[in-house]
Amino acid sequence: DAAKAAAVREAAAREKKEADDAATAEAADNRAFFFLRSSHPVRRALLWVVEQWWFSTFILVCILVNVFFIGADGRVPVDPAVDPTTAAIREAGSYADYFFLAVFTVEAALKIGALGLVLHKGAYLRDGWNVLDFFLVVAAWVQLLPGVANLTSVRVVRVLRALRSVNKVQGMKLLINALLI
């Protein structure tokens, strides 16, 4: 009987250790920036912000206005001598690009802080639409580097920003996902 009891205690201790190790591994994997656990108040606040309807609506409006500026950029004549307002329109478009890059960078940072980057299930880069968003933000920052802005391939990436609106409108997201599958 003593041997059986010892074996049962040993098995229970082994199971508890395995469960504790699994919980520790899960908790370690579910950290943002390697130190913010999902229960951390900052991370919970970030998650609250990114889950609010007004946050998603603001981002969607920014995407649509940004797409408008991208479309208008090619329609403004290059020669300011033809129309003196063209220089002002192009300058406004340039400032708008910087504003939207800042907004989308902050959006990505908030979501990465709330969801984690990639190491655990449910992380920011585990969603294909977020991968597209992150790629567009990084490409926009790369475009600001000296000597890169005039590369056609980088400028074409700006057109992909319109696809971001698909991610924000649930019905469109379902339709695109259905078409891709």
Side-chain angles (χ1 to χ4, degrees):
D1 278 338
K4 283 184 182 180
V8 168
R9 280 193 306 269
E10 221 174 275
R14 194 174 32 246
E15 278 183 32
K16 184 178 181 330
K17 184 179 180 331
E18 288 173 4
D20 288 347
D21 289 347
T24 302
E26 183 179 336
D29 287 344
N30 195 4
R31 291 184 183 189
F33 307 117
F34 298 105
F35 69 92
L36 284 178
R37 293 177 186 233
S38 57
S39 61
H40 194 281
V42 171
R43 190 155 173 214
R44 289 178 38 208
L46 293 173
L47 189 60
W48 180 84
V49 169
V50 300
E51 289 179 342
Q52 297 302 306
W53 67 269
W54 49 263
F55 180 79
S56 298
T57 303
F58 174 72
I59 296 299
L60 180 60
V61 168
C62 285
I63 291 167
L64 296 175
V65 173
N66 187 28
V67 168
F68 169 78
F69 273 102
I70 291 169
D73 186 38
R75 300 200 180 276
V76 177
V78 178
D79 186 10
V82 174
D83 183 7
T85 61
T86 59
I89 292 172
R90 284 201 179 272
E91 188 173 351
S94 177
Y95 287 129
D97 281 345
Y98 293 130
F99 170 77
F100 292 123
L101 177 57
V103 167
F104 298 144
T105 301
V106 168
E107 175 202 18
L110 289 173
K111 286 186 173 183
I112 290 168
L115 304 173
L117 183 62
V118 73
L119 295 179
H120 61 275
K121 186 178 179 181
Y124 181 72
L125 290 179
R126 294 279 178 118
D127 179 10
W129 291 102
N130 287 337
V131 171
L132 174 66
D133 287 351
F134 189 73
F135 171 73
L136 293 173
V137 169
V138 170
W141 280 106
V142 167
Q143 191 175 2
L144 294 178
L145 295 174
V148 178
N150 292 331
L151 291 177
T152 307
S153 60
V154 177
R155 290 188 56 81
V156 169
V157 170
R158 293 179 65 195
V159 177
L160 291 175
R161 289 183 187 169
L163 285 178
R164 295 189 74 210
S165 63
V166 172
N167 183 30
K168 307 301 179 198
V169 180
Q170 192 62 28
M172 288 295 290
K173 186 176 179 179
L174 290 173
L175 178 65
I176 296 298
N177 284 338
L179 290 173
L180 293 176
I181 293 177

